[in-house]
């Protein structure tokens, strides 16, 4: 997949996509960081990575134009193009966002785990869901390759509900 807005190497160690700075980092580096934070913080580590994802996702959401569906499809395209896996929009309506990600580099690099590990992606999708659905809703990773699923799947959760 080609980015509609190309990756620009402006020199001096800066890579830009659409005016925003990006960096290339091996998934194994992030998996090792995640394992170290988990060792230090236990279950609270996941929320640290979600918070990081939310920050990036909020930045992405600010630049989106068009209908909610067009904006969601743009996020799917961008996530795929920058190597975060093959993103597919399963469902988007006024109350729900559901996304499937095949080949998540986070799950693949992390390896076998008892539960979901794609916390950065979850955070990005929380920020994007808040923008698309015009209210904050938590996102849960309902399936993860690291936990044995065929693909990772993320879904918003209505207030007081579980998926």
């Amino acid at each position: 997949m080609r980015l509609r807005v190309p990756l620009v190497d402006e020199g001096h160690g800066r890579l830009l996509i659409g005016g925003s700075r990006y960096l290339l980092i091996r998934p194994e580096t992030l998996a090792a960081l995640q394992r170290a934070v988990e060792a230090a913080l236990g279950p609270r580590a996941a929320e640290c990575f979600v918070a990081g994802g939310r920050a990036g996702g909020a930045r992405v959401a600010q630049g989106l134009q068009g209908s909610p569906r067009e904006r969601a499809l743009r996020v799917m395209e961008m996530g795929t193009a920058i190597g975060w896996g093959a993103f597919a929009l399963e469902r988007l309506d006024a109350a729900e966002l559901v996304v499937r990600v095949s080949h998540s580099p986070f799950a693949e690099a992390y390896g076998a785990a008892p539960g979901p590990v794609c916390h950065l992606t979850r955070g990005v999708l929380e920020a994007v869901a808040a923008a698309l659905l015009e209210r904050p809703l938590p996102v849960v990773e309902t399936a993860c390759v690291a936990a044995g699923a065929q693909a990772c799947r993320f879904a918003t959760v209505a207030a007081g509900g579980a998926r």
Side-chain angles (χ1 to χ4, degrees), residues 29-54:
T29 301
L30 290 175
L33 172 63
Q34 184 170 331
R35 287 183 183 276
V37 174
E38 288 168 350
L41 298 179
R44 296 179 323 182
E47 290 310 310
C48 293
F49 285 89
V50 170
R54 268 191 227 110

Side-chain angles (χ1 to χ4, degrees), residues 137-163:
L137 287 172
V139 169
V140 295
E141 187 174 3
T142 61
C144 184
V145 168
Q150 293 292 325
C152 300
R153 187 173 181 271
F154 303 85
T156 53
V157 177
R163 191 163 291 292

Side-chain angles (χ1 to χ4, degrees), residues 93-141:
D93 58 37
E96 184 175 42
L97 172 68
V98 181
V99 174
R100 178 182 173 97
V101 180
S102 302
H103 309 291
S104 164
F106 307 112
E108 290 176 0
Y110 193 95
V117 301
C118 303
H119 310 307
L120 282 169
T121 302
R122 180 166 60 103
V124 167
L125 292 174
E126 272 192 11
V128 169
L132 297 176
L133 304 177
E134 299 179 344
R135 68 186 183 288
L137 287 172
V139 169
V140 295
E141 187 174 3

